[in-house]
């Protein structure tokens, strides 16, 4: 095989050395440390029957510790295939897109793609295929690869990376229904990549609750002339906003189908900048399909919430990170 074809078959760890370390030993030790620091969970880890996680995808110095709360929950027994769903930050995609590569590189070991499953998905004519440059530019999937490689260390697994475009709730549901038969398999797991609120003028989002919950006081958009209530800091409002979504996305008491509908309403109302809202929607669509067709009763539990920094002024900015596990 020529050097050119080899390079075209393997996606490089393009964000290593900037978003996270490219040193194998250092990265392995960081991941081990963050996983070891997960302690005092309400449910004993790993979660028996865990089928999916939702976890953040920022630089590891920001979100690596929060992501560990999702990854440590994974019961790796019998898992052979891992779907990874992430949002598109660089390319407009009308539906969902697959990778052109055969392997994904990480500093702690490569991850082969499940080419048979990817072929099946391509044959549905519902997926486009990313260009090599677009695949390498996207960070939402790559930031999960070292964690996947770490927690499945020594396991013979392959991955199915899917970049999810800006799609409607009904289209999310249709892709979820398409992926549901795979998720129902005992050997299949799903990682959903999402940060939560991106707050600040640099994100063009300054949504603010002037009063703590519960309140009838409407939200406002902060600017130079509209300032926060000194008794309710911006970072507390952001927490309130994000937890509103997390409550909706907690199953039970609602079903996945209901959570999907209510999450779409919440997003329409608040415009919260949850960048992985569409991958989350596809997962909810898959769970809703399995609720209807197989009578499953999924459980979604949020186990960690952090912010990159506490905003107190409209000049500040932050990104929120939340982790959850899903079982059925």
């Amino acid at each position: 095989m020529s050097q050119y074809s080899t390079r075209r078959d393997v996606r490089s760890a393009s964000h290593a050395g900037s978003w996270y370390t490219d040193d194998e030993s250092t990265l392995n030790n960081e991941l081990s440390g963050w996983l070891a620091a997960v302690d005092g969970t309400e449910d004993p880890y790993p979660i028996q029957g865990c089928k999916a996680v939702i976890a953040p995808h920022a630089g590891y110095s920001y979100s690596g510790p929060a992501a560990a709360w999702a990854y440590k929950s994974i019961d790796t027994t019998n898992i052979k295939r891992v779907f990874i769903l992430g949002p598109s930050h660089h390319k407009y995609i009308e539906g969902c897109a697959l990778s052109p590569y055969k392997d994904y590189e990480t500093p702690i070991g490569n991850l082969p793609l499940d080419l048979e499953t990817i072929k099946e998905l391509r044959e549905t004519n519902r997926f486009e295929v990313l260009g090599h440059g677009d695949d390498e530019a996207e960070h939402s999937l790559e930031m999960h690869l070292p964690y996947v490689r770490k927690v499945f260390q020594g396991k013979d697994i392959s991955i199915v990376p899917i970049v999810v475009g800006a799609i409607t709730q009904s289209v999310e549901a249709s892709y979820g229904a398409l992926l549901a038969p795979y998720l129902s398999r005992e050997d299949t797991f799903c990682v959903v990549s999402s940060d939560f609120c991106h707050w600040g003028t640099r994100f063009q989002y300054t949504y603010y609750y002037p009063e703590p919950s519960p309140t009838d006081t409407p939200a406002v958009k902060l600017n130079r002339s509209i300032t926060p209530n000194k008794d309710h800091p911006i970072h507390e409002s952001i927490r309130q906003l994000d937890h509103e979504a997390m409550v909706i996305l907690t199953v039970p008491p609602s079903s996945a189908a209901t959570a999907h509908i209510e999450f779409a309403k919440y997003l329409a109302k608040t415009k919260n900048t949850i960048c992985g809202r569409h991958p989350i929607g596809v997962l909810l669509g898959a769970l809703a399909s399995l609720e209807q067709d197989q009578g499953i009763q999924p459980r979604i539990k949020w186990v960690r919430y952090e912010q990159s920094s506490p905003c107190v002024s409209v000049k500040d900015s932050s990104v929120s990170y939340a982790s959850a596990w899903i079982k059925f």
Side-chain angles (χ1 to χ4, degrees):
M1 185 179 291
S2 70
Q3 182 178 358
Y4 176 79
S5 63
T6 299
R7 180 171 61 83
R8 300 294 280 183
D9 285 345
V10 180
R11 182 196 184 279
S12 68
S14 54
H15 293 77
S18 52
W19 289 57
Y20 59 101
T21 180
D22 57 1
D23 181 77
E24 177 181 3
S25 177
T26 302
L27 179 58
N28 191 57
N29 288 337
E30 284 181 348
L31 295 171
S32 295
W34 292 327
L35 290 165
V38 175
D39 192 25
T41 60
E42 186 175 334
D43 301 90
Y45 276 13
I47 301 299
Q48 300 302 307
C50 186
K51 289 292 292 179
V53 294
I54 302 170
H57 56 236
Y60 276 6
S61 62
Y62 295 102
S63 70
W69 287 76
Y71 277 97
K72 195 168 183 177
S73 74
I74 299 173
D75 178 6
T76 61
T77 308
N78 298 323
I79 300 300
K80 299 291 185 183
R81 177 189 303 103
V82 179
F83 281 74
I84 307 175
L85 311 183
S88 178
H89 290 85
H90 297 278
K91 176 182 171 61
Y92 176 75
I93 299 172
E94 290 187 352
C96 292
L98 302 167
S99 174
Y101 290 103
K102 294 181 179 179
D103 283 274
Y104 273 15
E105 176 188 51
T106 89
I108 59 173
N110 287 12
L111 286 162
L113 273 64
D114 181 347
L115 301 180
E116 181 178 346
T117 297
I118 290 170
K119 180 175 180 289
E120 292 172 0
L121 295 176
R122 289 184 67 171
E123 288 173 349
T124 67
N125 294 319
R126 294 290 309 279
F127 295 84
E128 63 178 273
V129 177
L130 291 171
H132 290 81
D134 291 326
D135 196 326
E136 296 217 349
E138 182 53 60
H139 66 273
S140 72
L141 303 181
E142 180 180 339
M143 298 309 295
H144 287 275
L145 303 178
Y147 259 121
V148 171
R149 183 68 284 171
K150 176 66 175 178
V151 299
F152 288 96
Q153 188 172 7
K155 303 277 187 177
D156 181 20
I157 65 160
S158 57
I159 62 172
V160 182
I162 299 176
V163 177
V164 180
I167 54 181
T168 64
Q169 187 228 336
S170 62
V171 177
E172 291 169 357
S174 71
Y175 276 103
L178 190 155
L179 297 179
Y182 294 98
L183 187 59
S184 69
R185 298 178 185 175
E186 185 181 355
D187 66 354
T188 299
F189 192 84
C190 184
V191 171
V192 173
S193 175
S194 183
D195 295 335
F196 266 62
C197 184
H198 299 62
W199 198 94
T201 54
R202 73 186 183 103
F203 299 117
Q204 299 180 313
Y205 189 76
T206 57
Y207 193 91
Y208 172 72
Y209 286 126
E211 301 289 342
S213 181
T215 178
D216 294 327
T217 304
V220 297
K221 292 182 180 179
L222 295 184
N223 53 42
R224 291 181 180 177
S225 58
I226 302 176
T227 57
N229 175 357
K230 62 182 177 61
D231 295 323
H232 191 48
I234 294 171
H235 61 88
E236 287 297 333
S237 168
I238 297 170
R239 176 181 293 270
Q240 184 176 334
L241 175 68
D242 282 332
H243 276 74
E244 195 176 336
M246 292 160 68
V247 168
I248 291 169
L249 295 170
T250 296
V251 177
S254 68
S255 64
T258 299
H260 195 190
I261 294 168
E262 293 304 315
F263 186 48
K265 291 179 181 177
Y266 161 87
L267 292 169
K269 174 188 172 185
T270 66
K271 304 294 192 294
N272 193 359
T273 46
I274 299 173
C275 56
R277 56 194 176 275
H278 298 302
I280 291 172
V282 171
L283 175 63
L284 292 172
L287 294 174
S289 179
L290 294 174
E291 283 175 337
Q292 179 177 336
D293 296 341
Q294 298 186 19
I296 69 157
Q297 295 181 320
R299 184 179 177 198
I300 303 176
K301 181 161 185 178
W302 295 90
V303 290
R304 192 67 174 178
Y305 177 79
E306 299 179 7
Q307 294 175 4
S308 60
S309 58
C311 292
V312 295
S313 161
V314 73
K315 297 178 182 179
D316 296 333
S317 65
S318 74
V319 180
S320 306
Y321 312 118
S323 290
W325 52 256
I326 297 92
K327 66 176 290 185
F328 59 79

